[in-house]
Amino acid sequence: MALSMRLSRGGSKKRPYYRIVVADARSPRDGKFIEKIGTYNPLLAKDNADRIKLDTDRAKHWLSVGAQPTDRVARFLDVTGVKERAAKNNPNKGKPGEKAVERAEERAEKLKAAEEAAAEAKAAAEAAAAAPVEEPAAEAPAEDVAAEEAPAAEATAEEAPAAEAGEEKAEG
């Protein structure tokens, strides 16, 4: 006879309460069982001692005679130290792919370069603040402003006839 250690549901609607039982694998979930070896109340907090109650001696006995625990019961047995449970998920599955790793490295390099540039700018600003301030000549800025205004005036002169020609085509 194939034995299984599994949960048998009790409790009312939306208020589950489980018994940890040893039963024939062919019997229904909430049906006939051989022995009740513990309880599980999922409504209690995870750190509550009454959440899982398990008779470890009886669990060891039933494991020794060949009872197979379900995944959930195997977790309970692992928590109580009765049986070691191997992890079933693939640890490499959650790791990022090659391109994601490359993008993360590029971002890290850019952040490092930006931090270095900010540090250099801060050092330059401190050096400039420490150095004596020289007053610039009064004529030099005036020439720069006049030189900047001249190309702007030429650009507006060229745009104006083009705009007038566009208006004539629209009217005609």
Side-chain angles (χ1 to χ4, degrees), residues 121-141:
K122 185 176 179 182
E126 289 174 358
V133 179
E134 296 179 14
E135 294 184 21
E139 296 177 11

Side-chain angles (χ1 to χ4, degrees), residues 26-41:
R26 297 171 293 182
S27 66
R29 178 192 72 178
D30 299 334
K32 184 177 172 183
F33 58 88
I34 299 170
E35 182 180 357
K36 175 184 163 187
I37 60 173
T39 60
Y40 167 57
N41 187 352

Side-chain angles (χ1 to χ4, degrees), residues 48-70:
N48 192 334
D50 293 334
R51 183 177 168 102
I52 301 170
K53 292 181 182 177
L54 185 65
D55 184 357
T56 56
D57 293 334
R58 293 307 294 167
K60 287 178 184 176
H61 166 74
W62 285 110
L63 287 171
S64 69
V65 295
Q68 295 296 315
T70 60

